[in-house]
Amino acid sequence: MTEQMMDQVLREDLEAIYIGNLNTVEADLILPVQGHGGSCFTWRSSEPRFIEDDGTVHRPLSGQGNRELTLTVTASLEGRRAERSFPATVLQEKKESRVEEIRTVRVNAVPGQPVHLPSVVIARCSDGRQMTLPVTWEAIDADVTGDVPRTEAEKVAYPSGEEGVSSGTDRSSGMKSVRHVRGTVEGTELPAEAEIHCLTEEKSVQGPQRQAEYFPLHQVRLLPGTPYYDHQRRMTEFLRSVDCDRLLYNFCRAAGLPTGEALPMTGWEEESCKLRGHITGHTLSGLSLAWAATEEEVFLEKCTILVEGLAQCQEAFAASGQTHPGFLSAYSEEQFAGAVHPLSGDLGSLLYLG
């Protein structure tokens, strides 16, 4: 290998390094020791008190302030060397605080419809911060929005086993009754409370009336000479340049399919990053929107290449017998062992979550 070739490998290996968000360092860092091209990495910290050369992090105590430093990596290959620096900020430890108040949850219930209480409550801490904490509510009787007498003298005696649930008439609000449900909040002994305001039939409020109708994106066109058109044009110019084979690289590799001559991805898509596949999903969403907004065939062609490529990866996963039916990701299913990941409506999340 010539010196010029070795220098190129060193540059590419250094460029491909990804060690996460260094603007808010709170935990130990995983520092790679070797690049894809074979170069060896040696790390040096400008402040070993806060980040050691091996990536071990020591956060400043609360009140000492955040600390800025520089991590420098030296890549070596057959006597050739090159360096790259990474600025980092180590966050000070958080001030310990206790939960002082749990905000009461208030919901309206409509007769004949189920009551849905939130899975978290808002807590106020001693240092003034507000945060959300998981809550487990006590059982609510199925007929919580059923008929309730209007006077205090006619309060309903509920069946046994409904601890923490009470009712009463709330004349001042125009409600039929208010029922109170208690809950247990994770991380504190303070109880949570929910007020369920049961509306009368005549007081039931309809939702907002539809004021507009949906129409497809392909019916919308931005006019030249506007900032929106200029932004759209810059985005479509970038989307025309994307390499579909490279976007499929991590998926093909994870599924055991050949990657051809495609180059590996970097940044969030780098091999050690657990967000691999994310950019492919976002790019596919962008290509779909570009096709709808312009109807240029190049965007439809790229969408087709990506969808067909992902389908082949999904079939390869299934054929391996090592994944659940329908699994699709840029890494193996083992990363999800013991975890449940709700799928959002975002295509990028769908692809990297499998």
Side-chain angles (χ1 to χ4, degrees), residues 75-280:
S76 58
L77 180 65
E78 297 183 18
R80 307 292 293 180
R81 295 175 180 272
E83 289 189 349
R84 181 183 175 187
S85 295
F86 296 85
T89 301
V90 182
L91 300 184
Q92 64 178 337
E93 294 182 347
K94 295 181 179 179
K95 180 180 179 181
E96 292 187 5
S97 62
R98 64 183 183 280
V99 176
E100 290 191 337
E101 180 186 3
I102 304 295
R103 184 180 298 179
T104 301
V105 174
R106 294 177 175 86
V107 297
N108 291 333
V110 177
Q113 296 185 11
V115 178
H116 297 287
L117 296 178
S119 60
V120 295
V121 290
I122 298 176
R124 181 178 61 82
C125 300
S126 57
D127 59 2
R129 292 184 302 115
Q130 294 193 49
M131 60 191 299
T132 57
L133 294 173
V135 59
T136 301
W137 299 105
E138 297 180 0
I140 308 174
D141 56 311
D143 193 32
V144 73
T145 60
D147 185 34
V148 178
R150 294 177 180 272
T151 66
E152 289 289 334
E154 294 175 299
K155 282 188 178 180
V156 174
Y158 290 137
S160 60
E162 295 178 2
E163 297 179 1
V165 181
S166 61
S167 70
T169 302
D170 185 354
R171 295 180 178 181
S172 62
S173 65
M175 302 290 182
K176 206 172 203 181
S177 70
V178 179
R179 301 196 183 180
H180 300 271
V181 180
R182 293 171 68 87
T184 302
V185 181
E186 184 176 309
T188 177
E189 295 182 356
L190 294 178
E193 181 175 340
E195 292 182 359
I196 303 175
H197 294 255
C198 304
L199 297 170
T200 60
E201 288 287 351
E202 59 270 19
K203 292 293 183 180
S204 296
V205 180
Q206 293 184 348
Q209 300 299 309
R210 178 178 294 177
Q211 301 294 321
E213 297 289 337
Y214 168 81
F215 50 91
L217 185 59
H218 67 75
Q219 295 181 3
V220 181
R221 289 295 180 269
L222 301 179
L223 298 178
T226 65
Y228 308 105
Y229 177 83
D230 294 338
H231 294 327
Q232 183 188 72
R233 183 169 53 81
R234 281 193 288 270
M235 180 56 68
T236 52
E237 286 177 357
F238 166 75
L239 289 171
R240 290 189 190 93
S241 68
V242 298
D243 185 348
C244 292
D245 290 338
R246 195 175 186 189
L247 289 169
L248 291 169
Y249 179 92
N250 285 325
F251 288 91
C252 291
R253 185 169 180 178
L257 296 177
T259 58
E261 298 181 357
L263 294 175
M265 299 281 281
T266 60
W268 279 11
E269 303 291 315
E270 201 273 337
E271 184 178 0
S272 63
C273 181
K274 293 184 177 182
L275 290 177
R276 297 193 302 278
H278 202 108
I279 299 301
T280 302

Side-chain angles (χ1 to χ4, degrees), residues 269-327:
E269 303 291 315
E270 201 273 337
E271 184 178 0
S272 63
C273 181
K274 293 184 177 182
L275 290 177
R276 297 193 302 278
H278 202 108
I279 299 301
T280 302
H282 289 309
T283 305
L284 182 53
S285 296
L287 290 168
S288 302
L289 294 172
W291 158 246
T294 66
E295 294 188 356
E296 294 183 26
E297 290 295 324
V298 62
F299 301 123
L300 179 60
E301 292 173 359
K302 288 181 180 291
C303 284
T304 302
I305 293 173
L306 288 177
V307 171
E308 291 179 350
L310 291 170
Q312 292 175 3
C313 292
Q314 192 172 42
E315 293 171 357
F317 274 121
S320 70
Q322 299 178 356
T323 65
H324 287 77
F327 178 80

